[in-house]
């Protein structure tokens, strides 16, 4: 809720479920355009910023099959790891953009992707405030061993 309120766009938390991602939590803004993803929804790991985050930190042998037919490349995933967050614009759904950052578990593995999603015009060129709010939310969810 804090992330949604700080940014004014939809916020979600995803976890990998095999070759898909599961929406664990979602918060929609009370007004304006929203990207509604119901809790419990299974979405592809082949497109979107959350998919990039969930795949970027996997071992190469696990990445390989997920990259076949994906909207992003191994080079894109390397950029996500370097930057610490991912961005997509109309990758999963026309008109929708998203930003995602990893929440890490105690041994350094990515446990979840924290995401912002909304209209392309609100997120295609993310502001520093949006990125900081996202990274702060992901850090709060991360477990440090």
């Amino acid at each position: 809720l804090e992330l949604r309120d700080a940014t004014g766009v939809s916020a979600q938390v995803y976890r990998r479920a095999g070759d898909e991602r599961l929406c664990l939590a979602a918060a929609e803004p009370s007004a304006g355009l929203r990207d509604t993803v119901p809790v419990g929804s299974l979405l592809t790991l082949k497109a979107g910023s959350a998919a990039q985050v969930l795949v970027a930190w996997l071992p190469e042998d696990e990445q390989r099959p997920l990259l076949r037919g994906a909207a992003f490349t191994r080079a894109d995933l390397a950029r996500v790891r370097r930057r610490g967050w991912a961005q997509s614009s109309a990758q999963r759904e026309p008109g929708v953009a998203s930003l995602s950052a990893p929440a890490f578990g105690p041994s350094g593995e990515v446990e979840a992707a924290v995401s912002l999603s909304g209209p392309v015009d609100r997120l295609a060129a993310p502001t520093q405030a949006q990125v900081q709010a996202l990274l702060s939310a992901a850090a709060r969810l991360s477990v440090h061993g």
Side-chain angles (χ1 to χ4, degrees):
L1 297 175
E2 286 178 41
L3 183 56
R4 175 206 58 200
D5 293 345
T7 60
V9 294
S10 301
Q12 303 88 24
V13 176
Y14 295 98
R15 185 171 200 155
R16 182 177 173 208
D19 61 355
E20 296 180 297
R21 57 184 158 123
L22 174 66
C23 182
L24 299 176
E28 307 299 329
S30 57
L33 292 172
R34 321 184 237 298
D35 175 38
T36 303
V37 179
V39 171
S41 295
L42 284 170
L43 302 175
T44 183
L45 272 179
K46 304 269 186 191
S49 64
Q52 292 175 45
V53 164
L54 293 171
V55 175
W57 278 268
L58 290 173
E60 192 173 323
D61 61 318
E62 289 184 55
Q63 277 185 4
R64 200 172 300 113
L66 295 171
L67 281 168
R68 275 188 224 112
F72 45 85
T73 65
R74 188 174 308 287
D76 294 328
L77 298 181
R79 190 169 33 260
V80 167
R81 284 192 307 276
R82 269 194 314 278
R83 187 167 59 178
W85 57 278
Q87 176 180 15
S88 73
S89 188
Q91 249 185 30
R92 182 180 58 82
E93 194 172 311
V96 176
S98 65
L99 309 175
S100 296
F104 293 96
S107 55
E109 73 286 358
V110 172
E111 289 285 339
V114 179
S115 300
L116 292 173
S117 64
V120 168
D121 65 339
R122 297 276 310 270
L123 291 173
T127 66
Q128 191 59 38
Q130 289 169 326
V131 173
Q132 272 314 121
L134 175 68
L135 292 173
S136 294
R140 283 193 301 276
L141 281 182
S142 292
V143 177
H144 305 283

